[in-house]
Amino acid sequence: MRHDMLSSLLDHALQQQRLRPLDVAFARFLIEREPNIAPALAWLAAVLSRQLADGHLCLDLAGLDALADEQDWPDDWRALADTLRDDPPASSLLAAGDGGEPASAPLVLDGGRLYLRRYWNHERQVAKGILDRVARAEPPSPYLAEELARLFPTAAGDTLDWPRIACALAARSGFGVITGGPGTGKTTTVVRLLGLLQTLQWRAQAPALRIRLAAPTGKAAARLNASISAQLARLDVDDAVRATVPAEVATLHRLLGARPDTRRFRHDRTNPLPLDVLVIDEASMIDLDMMAAVLDALPASARLILLGDKDQLASVEAGAVLGDLCRRADGGHYGATTARWIATTSGDDIGDFVQADAQPLDQHIAMLRVSHRFSAASGIGRLAQDVNMGDAAATLVLLGAPCDDLAWLPAADVGTLQALVIHGTAAPGGACGYRHYLDTLHSCRPATDAGDDAHADWATSALQAFNRFQLLCALRHGPHGVDKLNQLVAEALHAQGLIDASSGWYEGRPVMVTRNDYALGLMNGDIGLCLRLPVAGGGSRLAVAFLAAAAGGGTRLRLVAPSRLPEVETAYALTVHKSQGSEFEHAALVLPAAMNPVLTRELLYTGITRARRWFSLLGSEAIIVDAVARRTRRHSGLAERLAQDGGDRDDPAHLAG
């Protein structure tokens, strides 16, 4: 194929929206760098760029035929793919993965996977950073078994105490992962773990560990902050130890010292974070770039602990770090040495989870398997399980059966949707809609002269009431996307006289910050509520109220003038992605009328598990079946790199003997 023909093919792909302008520009950049580049390689680079936008770290050349079928490639694309069946053509712009040479090449071919150099570097960096910590031998404290017994007083029996096992595994090494579904006790477990670590330091007469807590978004940070604060009061440790366990949670961007308008951070290998232990919650949201930045900024001696639900949606950006780490978590894959050590240390028999193919990384991952939020009779819990198992038939049976905490509206029209978001459902107990927070806003408003504290309490109550219900959707655009649904909800509430949406800013408008604003201390994903507050001397002003994490734990109210918030959007409806890290008493998920690649099992599961007490699903049977059957796939070489090791696969030096 000549370059003029390739240019025409790229233009056509752009018109059909198979490629983005950025993808085409990248291919043409390579042609400018190397005029004699093989057209097939330039085209392949454009496809790789497009795959990155879909969250993939690389392009699997062995899977081009499957990708062609999945995306219904045109014949001219398939013909180019056929020319690459063995290997991409040689080029100075393509480096070999064994050494990455030439270093100036923007593309790297490694093990049949084609990368942009940046992502190839990050993948190797992340794998090395984790494996170095996995391999680090740290003699366990002689007080470990005793302190585990104090923190987990229930004797081992037929039911394994997975939180106790998780604490034992995490306490013995520089790296640990605690994964589990909603209500399995991840936060409770990590608070006990931190109390355990500090107690072991105290008993060894060593200095208290410098511990930091972080989460990917401001919303997730605030929720973890509140949970940690509540758990600390009940932690069975010495008061002096409790005082050394922090409750304040920062976003990862703030922790690392993000620099505006750049990918770089203040903390890196030349200026590492001053800490001994870093705990990151909602780790499923962390993309490869961010994980590389975290590991780059961590001191070599620091312990890293990741918390998250491996079955949730992967990060918005490229990569699925937690998913790659936890691919084998369901089966445990512990080694015999680890099992013996656990039996001695915690009294738990994990023999059923011992596998002959145990790998070093497996010994550092614990999966919490019992939900304390959802009982065996819970419709939400059973629905999440059925969806996660890919059982479409069981999913439909459950949705069609009478259930106090589930509502399925398979053919919801606009009127039905409006009634749901305003009033909630007719389920026993009264699953609320948006009327609830507006009633709170209007009925609980203090007198004009009541004082700042009274108005702050009112603003906090209104925000908390708003957070009881959330409308979720899969897409941003289209009749069932964020944009249209936000408009529909605002119109419905306005028609009911609950808000005055005749202007852009109005009391009761919920907004979501869409870009980090370090001057204001607001992060992408933070949600606030526009309120009318009195001013000295009479009159009133509009201000947007946010609940932010407070130093020392808990939350504090922050008021910001709307004029200082240029980059926000109305937040009656959120994408499921944006809702990660949040929970609501009642969550309602609207599915589109036509199938979309975004609709996957993971998206449906994540939407369901945002609900604590009630869940409403609006979508047809056919769409639900398709979504349950479709799994998210993120092409990456990270799991393979993490599986590489040399030596005894489950016998770390500190466990020997």
Side-chain angles (χ1 to χ4, degrees):
M1 177 182 287
R2 301 190 310 272
H3 282 171
D4 57 343
M5 296 176 63
L6 174 63
S7 181
S8 177
L9 182 150
L10 292 172
D11 288 338
H12 189 242
L14 190 60
Q15 293 169 6
Q16 291 186 318
Q17 297 184 336
R18 291 183 178 275
L19 296 176
R20 304 168 301 158
L22 179 63
D23 310 327
V24 173
F26 181 51
R28 287 175 170 153
F29 165 75
L30 296 181
I31 294 171
E32 290 178 4
R33 285 265 313 261
E34 186 176 294
N36 295 323
I37 189 174
L41 183 58
W43 165 80
L44 201 64
V47 175
L48 169 61
S49 175
R50 183 65 185 86
Q51 287 290 95
L52 288 168
D54 292 334
H56 304 286
L57 295 179
C58 58
L59 185 61
D60 183 4
L61 300 188
L64 285 180
D65 286 345
L67 185 64
D69 292 339
E70 179 185 321
Q71 299 184 353
D72 192 24
W73 282 3
D75 290 341
D76 46 9
W77 282 38
R78 293 178 183 270
L80 278 170
D82 287 340
T83 68
L84 302 165
R85 199 162 297 278
D86 296 325
D87 286 305
S91 168
S92 63
L93 304 179
L94 179 65
D98 51 359
E101 296 296 332
S104 60
L107 300 171
V108 179
L109 181 63
D110 190 348
R113 299 183 179 96
L114 184 67
Y115 294 84
L116 288 184
R117 178 173 290 276
R118 174 178 150 216
Y119 290 96
W120 179 74
N121 284 333
H122 285 342
E123 188 177 274
R124 292 197 307 157
Q125 178 186 345
V126 168
K128 184 179 185 304
I130 290 172
L131 290 177
D132 283 351
R133 284 176 166 76
V134 165
R136 193 170 75 213
E138 294 186 0
S141 166
Y143 309 109
L144 178 56
E146 179 185 343
E147 293 301 330
L148 276 173
R150 183 163 78 130
L151 287 167
F152 299 90
T154 304
D158 295 335
T159 302
L160 293 174
D161 193 328
W162 282 106
R164 178 169 56 206
I165 295 166
C167 285
L169 291 174
R172 72 176 188 174
S173 73
F175 179 74
V177 178
I178 302 173
T179 187
T184 52
K186 295 185 293 293
T187 303
T188 303
T189 300
V190 83
V191 169
R192 291 186 183 185
L193 171 62
L194 297 179
L196 171 67
L197 294 175
Q198 292 291 38
T199 298
L200 297 177
Q201 289 288 109
W202 178 65
R203 293 196 65 175
Q205 299 182 343
L209 297 167
R210 298 168 298 170
I211 300 173
R212 294 296 304 271
L213 309 173
T217 67
K219 190 75 172 179
R223 189 172 68 83
L224 181 61
N225 184 291
S227 299
I228 292 272
S229 298
Q231 293 291 336
L232 272 175
R234 300 191 295 269
L235 183 62
D236 183 17
V237 295
D238 187 274
D239 288 343
V241 171
R242 184 182 291 104
T244 65
V245 179
E248 185 176 359
V249 186
T251 64
L252 284 172
H253 281 86
R254 182 171 292 280
L255 176 75
L256 295 174
R259 297 176 175 177
D261 304 318
T262 177
R263 292 181 177 273
R264 301 188 64 184
F265 296 95
R266 183 165 56 86
H267 289 289
D268 56 22
R269 70 189 63 186
T270 65
N271 180 31
L273 290 162
L275 53 77
D276 303 303
V277 180
L278 175 61
V279 176
I280 305 178
D281 194 20
E282 298 292 346
S284 64
M285 302 170 67
I286 304 176
D287 57 74
L288 186 74
D289 271 8
M290 178 56 74
M291 183 58 71
V294 168
L295 289 166
D296 191 48
L298 272 184
S301 59
R303 178 184 275 111
L304 176 61
I305 300 165
L306 303 180
L307 306 178
D309 186 346
K310 68 179 180 62
D311 296 315
Q312 283 191 26
L313 279 169
S315 58
V316 175
E317 303 298 330
V321 176
L322 186 67
D324 285 338
L325 285 167
C326 297
R327 283 192 179 183
R328 293 154 54 92
D330 287 285
H333 293 272
Y334 298 114
T337 302
T338 297
R340 289 193 298 271
W341 184 83
I342 287 291
T344 301
T345 305
S346 75
D348 294 284
D349 182 1
I350 60 172
D352 289 344
F353 295 89
V354 170
Q355 304 286 344
D357 64 345
Q359 296 174 358
L361 178 64
D362 299 327
Q363 319 311 303
H364 299 257
I365 298 173
M367 180 175 170
L368 309 186
R369 301 166 189 267
V370 179
S371 176
H372 305 286
R373 180 185 305 169
F374 303 123
S375 68
S378 165
I380 297 174
R382 288 183 291 155
L383 183 64
Q385 184 177 27
D386 289 342
V387 168
N388 201 23
M389 296 293 292
D391 193 336
T395 297
L396 294 176
V397 169
L398 182 59
L399 287 171
C403 197
D404 290 347
D405 59 352
L406 289 179
W408 179 30
L409 303 171
D413 55 21
V414 171
T416 303
L417 176 59
Q418 289 177 328
L420 173 68
V421 299
I422 294 174
H423 304 291
T425 71
C432 61
Y434 285 134
R435 174 184 284 278
H436 173 74
Y437 91 90
L438 292 166
D439 286 345
T440 300
L441 188 154
H442 296 306
S443 65
C444 300
R445 187 192 304 272
T448 302
D449 59 354
D452 291 344
D453 288 346
H455 283 92
D457 290 343
W458 166 70
T460 301
S461 297
L463 268 167
Q464 291 171 339
F466 174 77
N467 287 329
R468 288 187 62 192
F469 171 69
Q470 183 64 60
L471 183 64
L472 306 174
C473 51
L475 308 173
R476 287 202 55 82
H477 307 296
H480 299 93
V482 166
D483 299 338
K484 184 65 177 180
L485 290 176
N486 272 317
Q487 179 185 344
L488 184 149
V489 174
E491 290 173 351
L493 294 173
H494 182 84
Q496 291 279 316
L498 296 170
I499 60 172
D500 180 5
S502 57
S503 59
W505 284 102
Y506 53 87
E507 186 171 56
R509 180 190 178 193
V511 296
M512 181 178 65
V513 178
T514 58
R515 185 174 70 87
N516 294 341
D517 190 320
Y518 299 96
L520 294 175
L522 297 174
M523 299 292 119
N524 184 4
D526 287 353
I527 291 180
L529 191 61
C530 187
L531 301 171
R532 186 167 294 280
L533 298 169
V535 296
S540 63
R541 64 183 176 97
L542 289 176
V544 183
F546 294 89
L547 285 178
T555 58
R556 62 185 178 90
L557 189 71
R558 175 175 294 173
L559 299 173
V560 183
S563 59
R564 298 189 67 189
L565 294 170
E567 296 195 44
V568 297
E569 58 187 36
T570 302
Y572 291 117
L574 300 178
T575 63
V576 175
H577 260 115
K578 284 292 188 181
S579 75
Q580 284 184 268
S582 302
E583 294 175 351
F584 314 95
E585 287 193 13
H586 179 199
L589 174 59
V590 181
L591 301 179
M595 193 56 198
N596 187 289
V598 170
L599 290 175
T600 63
R601 183 184 309 174
E602 290 81 5
L603 181 138
L604 192 52
Y605 170 84
T606 305
I608 296 165
T609 54
R610 298 312 89 202
R612 294 183 63 89
R613 296 184 63 187
W614 301 282
F615 177 70
S616 301
L617 181 61
L618 296 84
S620 70
E621 177 178 319
I623 292 296
I624 293 170
V625 170
D626 268 351
V628 172
R630 186 189 297 263
R631 299 213 65 169
T632 299
R633 292 188 301 119
R634 293 273 174 104
H635 294 300
S636 141
L638 181 60
E640 184 175 303
R641 296 184 194 277
L642 290 169
Q644 296 174 0
D645 69 283
D648 211 340
R649 302 177 73 84
D650 75 307
D651 193 14
H654 60 285
L655 296 183

